Amino acid sequence: MSSLIFDEFVPFLVAGLVCAILLIYLDPIARDIGLVDRPSQRKRHKEETPLTGGIAVIIGFYLSLFVVPFGLGPFRSPLLAITLLMIIGVP
């Protein structure tokens, strides 16, 4: 029983770790290339905020798919839609 719970938890662990690591490494890159949200009157933050959270989450999600304990056949359409949204939304 405990092995089954661990096997189901591994994808979440992989996604979380990859996302956290990517957030750390993508932050300076985003600042260098100007991929930041700048403060204005309608925003509460005081300094430029990198816009890399979504990229890190998607990459973590896709890498976690390599360790899921079930087939992904029925999820082809949603995965394609997520990929297209990321491709359209990143630039």
Side-chain angles (χ1 to χ4, degrees):
M1 179 73 175
S2 65
S3 176
L4 179 63
I5 293 172
F6 180 76
D7 289 345
E8 292 178 0
F9 181 69
V10 169
F12 294 105
L13 184 64
V14 168
L17 288 174
V18 168
C19 186
I21 291 168
L22 282 174
L23 285 174
I24 293 168
Y25 286 107
L26 289 176
D27 184 90
I29 296 169
R31 291 180 192 280
D32 288 345
I33 65 173
L35 187 61
V36 293
D37 187 25
R38 292 176 177 78
S40 66
Q41 290 180 345
R42 64 180 184 88
K43 298 178 183 171
R44 294 182 179 215
H45 53 88
K46 303 280 190 252
E47 57 187 44
E48 292 182 339
T49 304
L51 299 173
T52 54
I55 297 168
V57 168
I58 292 294
I59 292 171
F61 171 72
Y62 274 114
L63 289 177
S64 72
L65 293 178
F66 287 113
V67 293
V68 294
F70 53 84
L72 298 172
F75 303 104
R76 284 189 199 145
S77 296
L79 292 173
L80 177 63
I82 291 169
T83 304
L84 290 174
L85 284 172
M86 187 180 110
I87 291 169
I88 292 170
V90 168

